[in-house]
Amino acid sequence: MAQKKFISIYEQLKNQILSEQYQYGDQIPSENELVSTYGTSRETVRKALELLANDGMIQKIRGKGSVVIYQGITEFPFSELISFKEVQNQLGLKHQTELIVNEEVRAGDYERVRLALGLKAEEKLIHVIRTRSIKGKVKILDEDFFLKSVVKSITASVAKKSIYDYLENDLALDISYSSKSITFEPFSKLDYEMFGDINPPYTATVRSTVYLKDTTQFQYNISKHLATEFKFKEFSRRLENLLQ
């Protein structure tokens, strides 16, 4: 019975957090209040709170009790080559997109991008920066570089909707595959400007080089997520035949 009780309390509190009855930064009821509300022991309440803490829902802070730290973690498919718009439609995300930068630049001004795409310094790129926000708070910072010889220009309207829809349906580009890496990096000056004063000030940064079917490297993407809100999920299978 005790086990069922603390799981029931855990599930009720978790649902209240997910439904935003308790939002990020809110203090949930104290242990004493929960003991009284649920008519149970302090040990049972502590077990429920421990499960919430393990899930990344709350954090115990001295002098404040248990504070909600959950901000709506989204699992992004890491192995798939998929646009944010497609992820948004599949997962029912409510992010709003804002266009920050849309310009033409020299590859030589972005050495890491130039090297990743194998370009000469004088070659031109279309540089786009967009934010993905929920309720006015930036959750994702997307920065893209497109080879101008392949993508002549991108309008503000296209950038706010779906660049990949434009590339595939209007420009008839055959986007085939990408290589990706994930690193955890301290905030840059731009990150502070976009995300604000977040603790800890780190992003989970996904860098992708995207190829057309003819193997042309035409796009370099930098997708930054708040480290505390990022989660990627992948399926792995043990290759038994290789171990025999």
Side-chain angles (χ1 to χ4, degrees):
M1 290 298 293
Q3 183 180 23
K4 291 183 179 179
K5 188 71 173 181
F6 83 77
I7 290 176
S8 175
I9 296 171
Y10 154 74
E11 290 177 343
Q12 288 182 58
L13 290 173
K14 183 174 182 178
N15 287 334
Q16 289 170 348
I17 293 171
L18 292 174
S19 64
E20 298 188 332
Q21 293 180 50
Y22 297 118
Q23 299 184 14
Y24 177 77
D26 286 349
Q27 181 180 343
I28 68 172
S30 68
E31 289 184 5
N32 287 337
E33 290 172 319
L34 292 173
V35 165
S36 176
T37 297
Y38 292 102
T40 189
S41 68
R42 185 178 296 274
E43 181 183 357
T44 298
V45 165
R46 285 178 175 171
K47 286 182 179 179
L49 295 179
E50 184 177 350
L51 288 179
L52 288 172
N54 290 339
D55 281 354
M57 292 281 180
I58 64 170
Q59 180 172 320
K60 290 186 177 181
I61 299 177
R62 182 173 296 179
K64 288 189 176 182
S66 297
V67 175
V68 176
I69 61 172
Y70 177 79
Q71 298 185 66
I73 295 173
T74 301
E75 292 183 2
F76 283 87
F78 181 69
S79 62
E80 298 178 40
L81 179 51
I82 187 170
S83 70
F84 181 84
K85 187 68 175 180
E86 290 167 328
V87 173
Q88 189 175 38
N89 291 336
Q90 287 181 15
L91 301 181
L93 304 182
K94 299 178 181 180
H95 294 68
Q96 292 81 46
T97 296
E98 182 179 354
L99 179 61
I100 307 299
V101 170
N102 188 2
E103 62 183 359
E104 179 181 312
V105 298
R106 290 176 66 255
D109 293 334
Y110 297 87
E111 187 65 9
R112 186 167 186 170
V113 178
R114 185 189 73 79
L115 292 173
L117 296 179
L119 304 176
K120 296 179 179 178
E122 63 271 16
E123 291 189 74
K124 301 295 184 180
L125 297 164
I126 301 299
H127 180 212
V128 177
I129 298 178
R130 294 169 292 176
T131 59
R132 320 292 191 174
S133 303
I134 295 179
K135 295 182 179 180
K137 293 184 179 181
V138 175
K139 300 294 184 180
I140 303 169
L141 177 62
D142 273 329
E143 184 171 14
D144 288 285
F145 296 86
F146 297 94
L147 197 58
K148 185 173 172 59
S149 60
V150 176
V151 183
K152 300 297 181 184
S153 64
I154 294 173
T155 66
S157 176
V158 165
K160 290 179 180 179
K161 293 179 181 178
S162 174
I163 292 179
Y164 265 36
D165 180 68
Y166 168 70
L167 297 179
E168 294 179 319
N169 296 317
D170 288 37
L171 299 187
L173 295 180
D174 195 349
I175 302 170
S176 184
Y177 61 98
S178 69
S179 60
K180 298 182 181 182
S181 67
I182 298 179
T183 55
F184 288 84
E185 305 174 5
F187 270 16
S188 65
K189 181 179 179 181
L190 178 61
D191 296 337
Y192 274 112
E193 291 176 2
M194 296 296 101
F195 291 113
D197 190 10
I198 302 294
N199 188 34
Y202 279 81
T203 62
T205 301
V206 182
R207 299 177 187 274
S208 309
T209 302
V210 187
Y211 298 75
L212 298 177
K213 190 174 183 179
D214 65 4
T215 72
T216 298
Q217 300 167 239
F218 86 104
Q219 178 194 1
Y220 188 78
N221 169 262
I222 307 166
S223 186
K224 294 188 174 185
H225 307 246
L226 292 174
T228 54
E229 298 184 24
F230 180 79
K231 180 179 182 181
F232 87 87
K233 193 173 185 179
E234 190 53 85
F235 174 80
S236 299
R237 185 187 299 277
R238 186 170 175 81
L239 301 179
E240 296 180 2
N241 58 322
L242 296 180
L243 300 173
Q244 294 176 352

